[in-house]
């Protein structure tokens, strides 16, 4: 093991432990810290951080869950008066559970970034016995999750904070593991040029979105800013058309041209007077939000998919898109098609391709299934959820988790589709458009929610302020 890197990592870990103890108890001295220590580097980081906390007067118990541990860390902790308990022995195991029940803070250093599968004995029983309400800090990643895919099989740690080193591990951005990681803290340990140039799983930041956002120049007019054709809504779901159009207009599209049933058209024009009814020249299409069986709309969707223009494909247009692209009808490449299913819709689309997949399967392995549909259809797939994944058929993907859980409400996805459509009409390619839309949609939801319930209409209305904030921050 690299002792220098361990010392750097442990310093950052100890600093975060100190912050939480002071926040919770206003002190470090006298607080009880329990370390769950495995045989790898994360266990080593936990031991050295524990020694630092012991040096500040904390009572530190290191519970060893493997056959060995980082010797310099053990020696230093013992020298400073820390306690070391062997959970593999009967006596040590009993003492470990007693210490666990009395802990003010628990540090998870069980499994490193090469571990996979659920936790095994005795670690699984200790993790299951963590008292409710006691903060847990994971070292690098929550033990028991797959470090590369974010999949979870069996017992695992659910952390309040994950302190990671050098770069974010894929599982911290990939659900369901991302939901077990809590807040993430990145510590620079000096890896520098040893880090990969282009990671397979990426996350756009606010700065990244601002740098990509299509800002109109002085000579621009409504047609050069992008015209988006919207085929959405039905007599059953007229609101989907309204929200999709409103999302696009609030995101800055030049013109929305709406195609739908007469009653829905009346709703759209009343709610979004900037929209223009009827067909006309467009730069991109938004297809399917709230669409049921309507001959005119179905024909329009088919023509749009054949046009070779960029398309955001949602809900009622997904099946037509998947059938055409899987059959080899691909007038535009993956950068021009953004499909936006939720987990149930993605499962159904894979079913159309002959794969027996349930919604639960998608939710347990979202990266795998989003990438699968993207590859089979040669399209970009935006899998909606509390963490939104945008998968490219070339194998890499974005992961965005920018919004509040209050955004899980009717019409939220229609607004998201509208934002993405506005971006694609302005010339942004599907993967970037999906990630940019997800971030802006999420931040708008946060602003509109202010910590409480939020409607899709309120999310849409918050978008202009969010874009202005991003561009001028």
């Amino acid at each position: 093991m690299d002792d220098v890197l361990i010392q750097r990592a442990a310093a950052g870990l100890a600093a975060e432990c100190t912050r939480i103890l002071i926040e919770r108890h206003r002190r470090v001295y006298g607080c009880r810290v329990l370390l769950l220590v495995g045989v790898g580097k994360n266990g080593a980081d936990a031991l050295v951080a524990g020694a630092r906390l012991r040096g500040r007067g904390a009572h530190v118990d290191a519970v060893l869950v493997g056959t060995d541990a980082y010797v310099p860390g053990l020696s230093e902790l013992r020298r400073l008066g820390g306690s070391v308990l062997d959970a593999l022995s009967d006596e040590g195991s009993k003492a470990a559970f007693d210490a666990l029940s009395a802990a003010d803070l628990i540090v998870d250093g069980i499994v490193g970034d090469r571990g996979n599968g659920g936790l095994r004995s005795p670690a699984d029983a200790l993790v299951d016995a963590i008292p409710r309400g006691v903060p847990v800090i994971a070292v690098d990643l929550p033990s028991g999750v797959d470090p590369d895919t974010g999949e979870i099989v069996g017992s695992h740690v659910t952390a309040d904070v994950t302190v990671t080193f050098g770069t974010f591990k894929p599982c911290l951005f990939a659900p369901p593991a991302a939901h077990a990681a809590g807040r993430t803290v990145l510590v620079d340990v000096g890896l520098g040029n040893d880090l990969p140039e282009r990671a397979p799983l990426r996350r756009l930041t606010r700065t990244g979105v601002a740098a990509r956002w299509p800002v109109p120049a002085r000579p621009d007019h409504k047609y050069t800013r992008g015209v988006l054709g919207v085929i959405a809504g039905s007599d059953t779901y007229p609101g989907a058309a309204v929200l999709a159009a409103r999302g696009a207009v609030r995101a800055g599209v030049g013109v929305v041209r709406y195609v739908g049933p007469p009653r829905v058209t009346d709703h759209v024009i009343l709610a979004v007077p900037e929209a223009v009814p009827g067909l006309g020249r467009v730069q991109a299409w938004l297809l399917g939000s709230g669409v049921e069986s309507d001959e005119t709309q179905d024909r329009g969707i088919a023509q749009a998919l054949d046009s070779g223009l960029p398309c955001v494909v949602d809900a009622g247009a997904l099946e037509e898109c998947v059938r055409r692209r899987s059959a080899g009808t691909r007038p535009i490449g993956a950068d021009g098609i953004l499909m936006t299913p939720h987990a149930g819709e993605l499962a159904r689309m894979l079913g159309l391709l002959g794969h027996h997949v349930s919604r639960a399967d998608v939710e347990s392995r979202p990266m795998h299934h989003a990438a699968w549909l993207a590859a089979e259809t040669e399209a970009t797939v935006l899998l909606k959820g509390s963490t939104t994944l945008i998968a490219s058929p070339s194998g890499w993907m974005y992961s965005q988790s920018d919004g509040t859980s209050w955004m899980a409400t009717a019409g939220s996805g229609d607004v998201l589709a509208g934002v993405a459509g506005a971006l694609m009409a302005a010339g942004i390619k599907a993967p970037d458009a999906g990630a940019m839309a997800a971030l802006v949609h999420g931040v708008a939801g946060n602003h509109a929610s202010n910590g409480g319930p939020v409607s899709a209409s309120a999310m849409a209305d918050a978008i202009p302020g969010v874009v202005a904030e991003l561009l001028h921050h």
Side-chain angles (χ1 to χ4, degrees), residues 96-163:
F97 280 100
D98 290 343
L100 189 67
S101 66
D104 297 308
L105 175 68
I106 295 164
V107 178
D108 160 34
I110 300 170
V111 179
D113 59 8
R114 295 182 182 179
N116 52 59
L119 296 175
R120 293 178 287 274
S121 180
D124 56 351
L126 287 163
V127 166
D128 290 344
I130 290 174
R132 185 182 298 274
V134 176
V136 177
I137 297 184
V139 182
D140 218 22
L141 50 83
S143 293
V145 309
D146 188 292
D148 296 319
T149 68
E151 295 167 14
I152 298 176
V153 180
S155 178
H156 68 281
V157 169
T158 299
D160 297 280
V161 178
T162 297
V163 180

Side-chain angles (χ1 to χ4, degrees), residues 57 80 94 112 121 163 196 223 231 240 261-262 325 329 385-386 391 423:
L80 292 169
K94 182 180 183 308
S121 180
V163 180
Y223 297 113
I231 302 177
R325 295 187 74 82
T329 305
S386 56
L423 291 168

Side-chain angles (χ1 to χ4, degrees), residues 305-306 308 321-322 324-334 337 374-379:
L305 292 171
D306 283 339
C321 182
V322 168
R324 285 169 173 267
R325 295 187 74 82
S326 64
T329 305
R330 301 171 182 176
I332 192 169
I337 295 289
E376 291 225 1
T377 57
E378 188 62 28

Side-chain angles (χ1 to χ4, degrees), residues 68-84:
D68 59 16
Y70 181 61
V71 173
L74 283 174
S75 300
E76 181 65 5
L77 181 62
R78 283 184 170 123
R79 185 186 70 80
L80 292 169
S83 167
V84 177

Side-chain angles (χ1 to χ4, degrees), residues 195-268:
L195 295 173
E197 244 181 69
R198 297 284 282 175
L201 188 63
R202 310 166 193 173
R203 176 161 290 176
L204 269 186
T205 63
R206 297 185 182 204
T207 301
V209 171
R212 292 167 170 82
W213 198 265
V215 178
R218 293 284 294 179
D220 275 327
H221 49 77
K222 61 186 177 184
Y223 297 113
T224 59
R225 290 186 60 191
V227 182
L228 179 67
V230 176
I231 302 177
S234 60
D235 287 335
T236 305
Y237 303 111
V242 170
L243 291 166
R246 183 180 290 179
V249 168
R250 296 294 191 270
V253 75
V255 181
V256 165
R257 292 192 183 278
Y258 175 71
V259 179
R263 189 173 77 88
V264 182
T265 301
D266 292 342
H267 278 288
V268 171

Side-chain angles (χ1 to χ4, degrees), residues 298-313:
D298 290 345
R299 185 166 56 250
I301 288 170
Q303 290 171 350
L305 292 171
D306 283 339
S307 69
L309 292 173
C311 295
V312 176
V313 184

Side-chain angles (χ1 to χ4, degrees), residues 163-187:
V163 180
T164 194
F165 311 109
T167 188
F168 292 102
K169 309 305 178 287
C171 64
L172 302 181
F173 288 167
H179 307 318
R183 181 172 57 86
T184 54
V185 176
L186 179 64
V187 175

